[in-house]
Amino acid sequence: MNEPRTATGAGRTAAPAEPPVADWVTIEDLRRDPFPLYRRMREEAPVHWVPAVNRYMVTSYAACHEIEQDAETYSADETGSLMKRSMGHSMLRKDDPEHKVERDSYGSTLRPGTVKKHWNAVFARNNDTYLAGLKARGPGADFVWDYAAPYAAENLRLICGFHNATQQDLQRWSQDMIDGTGNYADDPDVWARSEVASAEVDAAIDEMLPRLRREPDASLLSGLASMPIPLEAIRANVKMTIGGGLNEPRDVLGTTVWALLSHPDQLAAVLSDPALHLTAFEESVRWVAPIGMYPRESTRESVLEGVRLPAGARVGVVLGAANRDPAVFGDPESYDIFRPRKPHLGFGGGSHFCAGAWVARSSVAGIAMPRVFEELPGLRLDPERPAVDEGWVFRGMTSMPVLWN
């Protein structure tokens, strides 16, 4: 167990503080704009009890990083997990060694070498298709829903191996199950949609596995079909992949382009130096973490940055707050591709570092962003229809009308 007392000076110790209660935080305020709430919480204490979401929210970079490095004290296998209910018991809600076995099963499909040798050509073809669709709709089209979402969904459909589904199916499945993982209001309609999506994914997986055993390809399901992994684990892990694997690249692509269009000097720098596309991508992930919070459960009483947590505490690791901690990042609320490079927590850390990080980097920064600015000269936000960003567990653009010449 962590030491129950912390040093405050030579020869003196102080009892850990109890976490303040942030009863002024509402789910609606978090959905609309969580960052002022995170700033207030972080300034008061690194950990708060937040009744609205029924968990301790951790908002400092140091405390979030400590949790990521201490799986013995802060378990991913949370009791009563919304993700387990929505998607099944995936590797994301497991600790090592069980987590590592299932994580390793993804390696051959998502490792950087495979992305470079196989998937980049797929991403390029898909990008041509959906960027052409955006252009056909003409100025005034929605950058997210007319381009970024179908592009990310089609990439994910092929990566997973769902040759019996459409990118529209992937979008619907992803959103309905993701809504379940964030259903802190316990809305029965949300659970009903999540259950339907989960059952449809199960049926699609069950149809594809024997086909891919006969006719293997480079997809995730093809690789899993040949491994001694229980069917329920395959189902849960693929559902988890459908969630994060669509939302992350879609939302990072939308947010990064939105940020650059809102900062013309930074856009000019990116256009003059293609290497800065990746820098802009990484700054976007820091500035608006597409997965803004993930849960942990404390296995024992602990002290986190001087604040006591009881055993069995439901913890929220708020990456969206940690990545704007002024103790680590100068002027953290600003989007700035010129800031000194420091590691962000946008893809998580430790053994649970995002398995799809290379897919997101390649499909967004390597393929999509350069082509967007080449094919859409004078790309700009529509001043008559302002863009909208929402969310806190997952955050991204929900409306982004654009114009171009």
Side-chain angles (χ1 to χ4, degrees):
M1 186 170 68
N2 289 16
E3 291 295 331
R5 302 179 67 83
T6 56
T8 60
R12 295 186 297 124
T13 60
E18 293 300 309
V21 177
D23 52 9
W24 40 271
V25 172
T26 70
I27 291 177
E28 176 57 23
D29 287 342
L30 285 167
R31 181 194 65 80
R32 189 171 53 248
D33 183 3
F35 298 112
L37 309 181
Y38 296 160
R39 186 163 57 248
R40 176 177 169 183
M41 282 193 280
R42 201 173 45 236
E43 288 171 353
E44 292 179 357
V47 184
H48 284 70
W49 169 252
V50 183
V53 297
N54 191 34
R55 67 177 61 244
Y56 296 89
M57 289 180 69
V58 181
T59 53
S60 78
Y61 183 101
C64 288
H65 181 68
E66 181 175 339
I67 289 173
E68 289 182 333
Q69 302 304 313
D70 187 359
E72 289 188 5
T73 304
Y74 305 102
S75 172
D77 191 6
E78 183 186 45
T79 305
S81 163
L82 297 182
M83 175 174 275
K84 290 181 190 176
R85 178 172 175 180
S86 180
M87 299 179 174
H89 196 176
S90 74
M91 68 175 88
L92 212 58
R93 296 281 75 81
K94 294 180 181 179
D95 300 315
D96 289 339
E98 294 81 8
H99 162 266
K100 186 178 187 304
V101 170
E102 294 179 21
R103 165 87 178 223
D104 287 349
S105 71
Y106 272 45
S108 62
T109 302
L110 302 181
R111 65 167 57 105
T114 307
V115 171
K116 182 177 180 180
K117 288 172 57 178
H118 179 79
W119 293 116
N120 275 348
V122 174
F123 301 157
R125 288 195 300 270
N126 290 341
N127 188 69
D128 287 345
T129 297
Y130 291 103
L131 191 52
L134 178 70
K135 292 169 69 176
R137 287 184 175 271
D142 190 295
F143 185 87
V144 173
W145 304 114
D146 292 329
Y147 165 61
Y151 169 60
E154 181 66 3
N155 289 342
L156 183 65
R157 184 183 75 83
L158 296 173
I159 288 171
C160 287
F162 282 115
H163 306 302
N164 55 350
T166 66
Q167 61 88 4
Q168 291 90 342
D169 291 327
L170 270 289
Q171 288 197 61
R172 179 171 53 82
W173 293 343
S174 177
Q175 194 58 57
D176 288 350
M177 291 189 295
I178 284 295
D179 287 348
T181 67
N183 190 18
Y184 287 92
D186 201 27
D187 184 331
D189 291 337
V190 171
W191 286 127
R193 287 190 289 106
S194 178
E195 288 165 8
V196 168
S198 179
E200 289 183 11
V201 175
D202 286 345
I205 290 172
D206 292 350
E207 181 182 4
M208 285 308 308
L209 286 176
R211 187 193 305 185
L212 289 167
R213 289 190 186 103
R214 294 191 305 268
E215 303 172 17
D217 60 20
S219 71
L220 183 61
L221 279 172
S222 180
L224 294 172
S226 64
M227 295 183 182
I229 298 174
L231 178 60
E232 286 307 308
I234 292 175
R235 287 173 167 177
N237 288 330
V238 171
K239 290 173 193 174
M240 174 268 295
T241 304
I242 291 171
L246 197 158
N247 279 34
E248 284 195 51
R250 179 197 69 198
D251 292 344
V252 175
L253 177 53
T255 299
T256 307
V257 172
W258 174 58
L260 290 173
L261 295 180
S262 303
H263 297 81
D265 59 328
Q266 298 186 52
L267 174 59
V270 170
L271 295 181
S272 66
D273 181 0
L276 290 177
H277 284 293
L278 182 57
T279 304
F281 170 94
E282 295 291 347
E283 172 62 358
S284 177
V285 174
R286 181 207 66 83
W287 188 52
V288 181
I291 298 180
M293 189 278 290
Y294 62 79
R296 290 291 182 264
E297 183 174 303
S298 60
T299 61
R300 52 195 175 187
E301 181 176 321
S302 62
V303 176
L304 193 61
E305 290 256 282
V307 177
R308 187 188 74 86
L309 286 175
R314 290 166 51 85
V315 178
V317 184
V318 189
L319 304 181
N323 281 343
R324 294 194 180 195
D325 190 335
V328 177
F329 304 101
D331 190 18
E333 304 294 332
S334 297
Y335 179 83
D336 181 7
I337 66 171
F338 306 117
R339 71 173 61 253
R341 291 291 297 274
K342 293 183 179 180
H344 60 71
L345 302 180
F347 288 118
S351 64
H352 282 87
F353 183 82
C354 178
W358 282 104
V359 167
R361 287 175 173 132
S362 295
S363 65
V364 175
I367 305 293
M369 287 174 53
R371 295 293 290 164
V372 161
F373 290 110
E374 288 172 10
E375 294 289 323
L376 303 174
L379 183 65
R380 57 196 181 277
L381 300 172
D382 186 341
E384 301 299 321
R385 295 185 296 156
V388 178
D389 57 325
E390 296 179 319
W392 66 284
V393 178
F394 294 87
R395 188 169 182 84
M397 310 306 297
T398 57
S399 177
M400 190 176 160
V402 291
L403 306 173
W404 59 90
N405 298 338

